[in-house]
Amino acid sequence: MAAPIRTAVFPGSFDPITNGHLDLIDQAARLCDRVIVAVLKNTRKTPFFPVDERLAILRDVLAGRSGVEVDAFAGLLVDYARAKGAGVVIRGVRSAADLDYERQMALTNRHLDPRVDTVLLLPSAEFSHVSSTLVREIATLGGSVRGLVPPAVESWIERRTHGPETRTV
Ligand code: PNS
């Protein structure tokens, strides 16, 4: 009998994807046969990049990585995971504060659906200070995000911050 395909969902806002996320996606791809990087469609937040652009950025950055897919979801993560045939949720933990939050989320998801397990991964030390929030702040204030995000994301940020639609002159 063939071994079952292990599918994982890596959910998040990915606004934008950072080098820390990329490191975690590569770790997840080594552990699982199929990794779905799933962007939450959250209409309550004012995003830096809208969901369709975040999906385009992810597809751009992750092109060529075998077993890695990009998707968007709304509603409960556990419902999405089961609909995709995923029994694993991947999340990253950079710090004690992250662990507190991730622990609460993992246990809540287990309460909602015990068939979905959460796997918490550590990003490499060189990325443990990197966050999308700080990347957005640096980009908004005109700083360089080189080394914090994949090169393709730098180009998207450049377009976002210097594009014609954001010029106020
Ligand atoms: O990158 P983020 O913003 O930390 O990701 C948070 C995310 C998308 C993983 C989380 O908000 C989520 O899973 N939302 C879906 C709604 C849900 O299932 N909530 C109950 C579980 S805590």
Side-chain angles (χ1 to χ4, degrees), residues 11-14 40 45 73 75-77 91 101 105 108-109 112:
S13 303
F14 302 105
L40 176 67
K45 280 191 195 168
F73 77 104
L76 286 177
L77 174 61
R91 292 283 290 172
Y101 172 62
M105 202 153 61
T108 304
N109 283 331
L112 292 170

Side-chain angles (χ1 to χ4, degrees), residues 7-12 14 34-41 55 58-59 68-90 109 112-113 115-116:
T7 300
V9 173
F10 184 173
F14 302 105
R34 182 177 170 229
V35 178
I36 305 170
V37 179
V39 179
L40 176 67
K41 295 188 218 168
L55 291 170
L58 283 165
R59 291 198 176 101
V68 178
E69 300 168 25
V70 173
D71 195 14
F73 77 104
L76 286 177
L77 174 61
V78 288
D79 290 344
Y80 173 77
R82 295 311 306 176
K84 288 289 179 178
V88 176
V89 167
I90 301 281
N109 283 331
L112 292 170
D113 190 339
R115 295 166 298 179
V116 178

Side-chain angles (χ1 to χ4, degrees), residues 16-135:
I17 181 174
T18 66
N19 281 336
H21 289 130
L22 199 54
D23 179 42
L24 295 169
I25 291 165
D26 286 336
Q27 289 185 45
R30 289 195 290 274
L31 290 171
C32 302
D33 306 300
R34 182 177 170 229
V35 178
I36 305 170
V37 179
V39 179
L40 176 67
K41 295 188 218 168
N42 187 345
T43 49
R44 279 173 302 158
K45 280 191 195 168
T46 310
F48 189 75
F49 289 109
V51 170
D52 60 337
E53 287 188 17
R54 277 181 264 161
L55 291 170
I57 294 169
L58 283 165
R59 291 198 176 101
D60 198 355
V61 170
L62 300 173
R65 278 177 161 76
S66 92
V68 178
E69 300 168 25
V70 173
D71 195 14
F73 77 104
L76 286 177
L77 174 61
V78 288
D79 290 344
Y80 173 77
R82 295 311 306 176
K84 288 289 179 178
V88 176
V89 167
I90 301 281
R91 292 283 290 172
V93 174
R94 291 163 301 186
S95 62
D98 275 1
L99 182 58
D100 223 31
Y101 172 62
E102 295 302 333
R103 183 182 164 281
Q104 186 181 21
M105 202 153 61
L107 293 178
T108 304
N109 283 331
R110 178 175 292 165
H111 169 84
L112 292 170
D113 190 339
R115 295 166 298 179
V116 178
D117 292 317
T118 298
V119 173
L120 300 179
L121 296 175
L122 298 179
S124 303
E126 63 189 297
F127 302 128
S128 60
H129 63 291
V130 180
S131 76
S132 298
T133 305
L134 290 182
V135 165

